[in-house]
Amino acid sequence: MDVALASPLATGALGMVVGSVLALTGAGGGVLAVPLLVLALGWPLTQAAPTALLAVGLAAALGAFNGLRAGAVRWRAAIMMGGAGMLGAPLGVWLSHLLPSRPVLWAFAALMLWLGWRQWPRPEAPSSAPLELPPCVVNPQSGRLRWTSPCVRAIAGTGLLSGTLSGLIGVGGGFVIVPALRRHSDLDLRQIQLTSLAVIALVAVSGVGTAAAHGQLDWAAALPFVGGAMLAMLLGRRLAEGLSPALSQRLFALSCLIVAGLLIARA
């Protein structure tokens, strides 16, 4: 096969892998994209990182837009988390210059292993104790979240943590948002995943803009990867609609374990 033809095809195929994971779990795009481009295609990190961010951001925006049209994206929560994430990212970058990288990577790998274990669905034992309501509860009359002080703290704190981890080690986004919203809200898994995609898209805007302003984006090389990710997002979200919540949880847990392995290898 001609090299000029094989390279865009291989790049597009890798983009579809990233877009599929992002569509099915609401997380995992960025942390998988960079190693795939570097290890499979031999791209330098300076080219792989902004390309991955562009592809993940556009694919997430596409998924979030379709979810917004269906009324499944909690856009107020997404804007709050996205804004807090943009504030947290510079903090994470500052911490990355202070903290030794290897212990931080090991610690986050351990966190990913713990998340994978916790997110794996298990049969619930019957309990007579009354269920404790999470901080963020949907009003059954209006269908909107009740914005109480505990809910605002939980949503803003989730965004801040996500942005800080993203700036610290390049991982965060959906891996923080999805479990946090499951814990702190009574939203269903579909709404959580689509809201996570909206936050990822918002946070990617500043990173992509910075990379483009510094001339770090090779648009011609990035196009097949971006196209593959967006195509997989369209197909993957349709598939995700038919998945049971338990299977979606298993996929998210597996992606956490894969990320843990990548972080251990990087450490």
Side-chain angles (χ1 to χ4, degrees), residues 25-92:
T25 67
V31 72
L32 292 176
V34 175
L36 284 176
L37 289 172
V38 172
L39 298 177
L41 298 183
W43 286 20
L45 184 60
T46 53
Q47 181 181 353
T51 298
L53 189 62
L54 175 65
V56 169
L58 287 177
L62 180 62
F65 176 72
N66 289 335
L68 191 63
R69 290 174 58 190
V73 174
R74 298 291 169 167
W75 60 270
R76 292 180 180 85
I79 290 174
M80 182 177 293
M81 281 189 285
M86 290 179 183
L87 293 176
L91 174 62

Side-chain angles (χ1 to χ4, degrees), residues 125-145:
S127 174
S128 58
L131 293 176
E132 183 178 351
L133 291 177
C136 298
V137 178
V138 176
N139 187 325
Q141 279 75 39
S142 65
R144 297 180 178 179
L145 286 172

Side-chain angles (χ1 to χ4, degrees), residues 51-222:
T51 298
L53 189 62
L54 175 65
V56 169
L58 287 177
L62 180 62
F65 176 72
N66 289 335
L68 191 63
R69 290 174 58 190
V73 174
R74 298 291 169 167
W75 60 270
R76 292 180 180 85
I79 290 174
M80 182 177 293
M81 281 189 285
M86 290 179 183
L87 293 176
L91 174 62
V93 173
W94 177 72
L95 288 174
S96 69
H97 294 289
L98 297 179
L99 301 176
S101 60
R102 185 169 295 180
V104 170
L105 289 173
W106 279 108
F108 197 78
L111 175 61
M112 287 290 101
L113 290 172
W114 179 79
L115 275 178
W117 175 74
R118 282 295 303 269
Q119 292 297 311
W120 192 268
R122 298 171 178 83
E124 296 183 3
S127 174
S128 58
L131 293 176
E132 183 178 351
L133 291 177
C136 298
V137 178
V138 176
N139 187 325
Q141 279 75 39
S142 65
R144 297 180 178 179
L145 286 172
R146 290 173 172 157
W147 287 101
T148 62
S149 296
C151 181
V152 171
R153 287 196 297 269
I155 294 295
T158 297
L160 186 64
L161 177 60
S162 172
T164 302
L165 288 175
S166 180
L168 180 60
I169 55 175
V171 178
F175 284 114
V176 174
I177 296 164
V178 172
L181 286 180
R182 286 181 61 84
R183 178 180 178 85
H184 297 305
S185 76
D186 62 350
L187 299 174
D188 62 53
L189 187 57
R190 175 172 175 261
Q191 293 178 352
I192 289 173
Q193 290 176 342
L194 290 169
T195 301
S196 173
L197 292 179
V199 179
I200 292 170
L202 288 172
V203 174
V205 170
S206 60
V208 170
T210 302
H214 287 82
Q216 295 176 332
L217 267 172
D218 185 340
W219 296 97

